[in-house]
Amino acid sequence: MATVTTAAPPPTAGSNPDYSNYVNPQWVRLLNLLQMNVRYQRCSGTELFTDDGTVILDFLSGYCVHNVGHNHPAIIEAIKDELDRHGPAMLQSHVPDLAGTLAHRLCSLAGGNLEKVFFACSGSEGVETAIKFARKHTRRKDLIYADGAFHGLTCGALSLMGDAFWKDKFGPMLSGTVAVPFGDLAALGHTLSSGRYAAFFVEPVQSEAGIRVPEPQYLAEAARLCHRHGTLLVLDEVQTGMFRTGTFLAAHQFGLDQKDTLPDIVILAKALSGGLVPVSAVLMTGDVYHSVYDSLKRSIVHTSTFSENSLAMRTGLATLDVLETEHLGERALHMGEELRRRLRESLLRYEMVKDVRGLGMLSGIEFQTPSSLKLRVPFEAFRSIHAGMFGQMIVMRLFRDWRILTQICGNNFMVLKVAPPLVVTEEQLDRFVDAITAVVDLMHTSASFWSEALSLARRAVNV
């Protein structure tokens, strides 16, 4: 393990007040508190370069956006080429050939009976699309989701999430949505038996819930149950798709390849355009698609202003080229498993580390309440001041002391998400293992770790 040397705090983002004045001052305050408010001048691959020349490793990937790394030259070239064409970017009254090409390619990679695509701009918009299409196709209103889910922050998507934090004070959500425990087939079957539900929305791996990987048979059996009761299976692969977990869809590792286990709708976004142009894609069966666009007058019954724009379509095609030609899925499978092996070897000997888990290049390190009195007392004191700040203390230490950007999971503050770009090198993975081991060792051996943590938690109360 490398020796930790506490570096000086990173430089602040400067004195320009416009963001605080006109966008989100609380976000600025939080970054300042965590000593993470730096100005990035350039980003390339897995490296983020600040204005003073500091190099920070990105182990978050914009929440699984930068699968091909930051600013991949092939994708930038595709964008420049499309702009130089001066072509029809958003006419809204023509047939965009690039959209057809990208849709064909996505359906071929996804396989099964997914044969139609609706393009939008974000994962949340993709979820809203799936809600509408599922209701129209089944002529049912109610929806099922899994506990711990994160599907987005629009009201429809929020209706498929249980954590009150995200919904508090935003008014009533969609009625008729119900949660079942993730991985619990008996509970799902019981809920489905009423025959009321249009769709079951589920992430193959629950990312924000703490990188929860289901049992191997769960998704296939869930698909069979859904089909038996006339309910659509909707897979939210916004974070897990695009080779993040090793295969094009995470679902490809869970036996969803038989006629009775095929998903009806799959939602992709985030990494689809290399992190450079907003885009999402909702893949679905022909039957579902045609139930919405079922007549000439309904050909525009569901659309989106920026859907199918040429920049997004070109970047999507270029991103797929990079992912496939550089074999980044195979790389994610092999290197992700090796990373978790090394993390388990280094971390599971510490009492506050409960588990290391994941799939491909999507991993989680779960922490737990310590059993020994000398650690439990400061931990409980810390948590009583501000429950969510324990994970942020680890994030801050990794950033400040080791120049590594990470984040905790949005619905489980005791799990650190480890999701570097798929182009990450073995040397960079080694550096992360050294860094997180040093931070964990510090929390187990140094009183200064907890005194700083308590000070941070007290200051966070007012942020």
Side-chain angles (χ1 to χ4, degrees):
M1 185 182 73
T3 302
V4 62
T5 56
T6 302
T12 62
S15 57
N16 188 333
D18 285 351
Y19 191 93
S20 286
N21 290 340
Y22 296 103
V23 185
N24 188 342
Q26 300 297 347
W27 176 242
V28 175
R29 294 179 65 198
L30 179 58
L31 288 178
N32 286 339
L33 176 71
L34 298 175
Q35 302 177 47
M36 295 174 65
N37 190 2
V38 303
R39 177 178 285 120
Y40 297 103
Q41 294 290 350
R42 183 169 64 89
C43 304
S44 178
T46 313
E47 296 179 322
L48 315 175
F49 299 84
T50 68
D51 57 0
D52 70 343
T54 300
V55 180
I56 295 171
L57 290 185
D58 181 5
F59 267 64
L60 182 61
S61 299
Y63 296 94
C64 300
V65 168
H66 299 287
N67 286 11
V68 298
H70 290 265
N71 294 311
H72 195 287
I75 301 173
I76 290 177
E77 188 61 31
I79 292 174
K80 290 179 178 178
D81 182 64
E82 188 60 34
L83 289 171
D84 287 342
R85 290 171 184 264
H86 300 281
M90 289 179 56
L91 280 181
Q92 307 286 10
S93 57
H94 75 307
V95 175
D97 290 338
L98 287 175
T101 303
L102 179 57
H104 185 183
R105 197 155 165 194
L106 290 171
C107 289
S108 296
L109 285 165
N113 56 354
L114 299 169
E115 56 186 27
K116 299 290 183 184
V117 179
F118 177 84
F119 289 106
C121 297
S122 70
S124 294
E125 194 177 355
V127 170
E128 299 287 344
T129 297
I131 291 172
K132 290 176 67 176
F133 280 55
R135 284 176 159 185
K136 177 63 170 64
H137 180 72
T138 62
R139 299 184 182 182
R140 300 174 181 177
K141 167 178 81 71
D142 295 345
L143 305 164
I144 307 173
Y145 64 92
D147 274 335
F150 190 100
H151 292 298
L153 299 179
T154 55
C155 283
L158 284 172
S159 302
L160 303 174
M161 291 160 51
D163 194 321
F165 170 79
W166 303 108
K167 297 188 282 190
D168 186 37
K169 299 181 176 63
F170 288 118
M173 302 293 149
L174 294 179
S175 62
T177 65
V178 63
V180 296
F182 182 67
D184 189 333
L185 289 168
L188 177 62
H190 176 75
T191 303
L192 286 167
S193 65
S194 69
R196 295 167 35 203
Y197 295 97
F200 173 43
F201 284 74
V202 65
E203 303 151 279
V205 176
Q206 284 196 322
S207 187
E208 298 309 322
I211 320 299
R212 298 172 68 189
V213 183
E215 293 296 321
Q217 75 282 0
Y218 170 65
L219 290 173
E221 290 302 320
R224 292 187 178 99
L225 286 170
C226 286
H227 296 159
R228 189 178 306 152
H229 294 286
T231 297
L232 301 187
L233 176 64
V234 179
L235 298 182
D236 182 339
E237 293 251 14
V238 170
Q239 290 200 48
T240 57
M242 301 298 295
F243 296 104
R244 165 58 60 179
T245 55
T247 46
F248 178 66
L249 302 178
H252 289 157
Q253 298 181 56
F254 290 98
L256 299 185
D257 55 0
Q258 303 299 314
K259 185 176 181 180
D260 62 344
T261 64
L262 296 174
D264 301 286
I265 299 175
V266 171
I267 305 162
L268 296 171
K270 288 191 179 292
L272 180 54
S273 67
L276 293 171
V277 180
V279 64
S280 61
V282 184
L283 285 60
M284 64 193 79
T285 67
D287 287 345
V288 172
Y289 196 87
H290 291 302
S291 68
V292 173
Y293 300 112
D294 56 1
S295 66
L296 192 64
K297 69 178 181 179
R298 291 179 60 84
S299 63
I300 57 170
V301 71
H302 184 73
T303 186
S304 176
T305 299
F306 283 87
S307 176
E308 303 174 12
N309 77 85
S310 61
L311 281 179
M313 301 299 98
R314 277 296 297 274
T315 52
L317 288 165
T319 299
L320 291 177
D321 286 343
V322 172
L323 287 164
E324 292 185 279
T325 59
E326 297 186 11
H327 306 289
L328 294 184
E330 299 166 29
R331 205 165 182 275
L333 272 177
H334 168 70
M335 294 180 70
E337 187 55 42
E338 177 61 17
L339 171 63
R340 285 184 292 278
R341 184 195 68 78
R342 289 202 55 204
L343 288 171
R344 293 182 186 115
E345 186 179 82
S346 295
L347 299 178
L348 291 181
R349 56 196 170 98
Y350 292 99
E351 67 173 285
M352 290 190 67
V353 179
K354 181 178 181 180
D355 193 19
V356 175
R357 56 180 175 266
L359 193 67
M361 200 55 75
L362 180 62
S363 301
I365 301 170
E366 184 176 11
F367 295 88
Q368 63 186 346
T369 302
S371 56
S372 64
L373 188 62
K374 71 171 186 175
L375 291 176
R376 191 170 70 248
V377 169
F379 177 83
E380 294 291 0
F382 180 63
R383 190 163 62 177
S384 68
I385 297 171
H386 198 296
M389 290 306 293
F390 170 74
Q392 293 299 347
M393 187 66 191
I394 299 170
V395 169
M396 185 186 79
R397 282 280 186 172
L398 285 168
F399 189 86
R400 187 189 68 189
D401 299 346
W402 289 87
R403 302 294 192 254
I404 297 176
L405 177 64
T406 56
Q407 193 47 265
I408 56 175
C409 294
N411 286 341
N412 190 335
F413 296 160
M414 293 295 284
V415 179
L416 183 75
K417 181 184 290 186
V418 185
L422 307 187
V423 297
V424 66
T425 67
E426 291 185 11
E427 291 75 16
Q428 290 167 339
L429 293 177
D430 289 344
R431 179 174 160 190
F432 176 79
V433 173
D434 286 345
I436 188 60
T437 304
V439 172
V440 171
D441 187 72
L442 198 67
M443 77 171 67
H444 284 80
T445 60
S446 172
S448 66
F449 177 92
W450 293 103
S451 60
E452 183 178 18
L454 288 167
S455 174
L456 178 73
R458 291 188 183 99
R459 284 180 283 138
V461 170
N462 296 318
V463 173

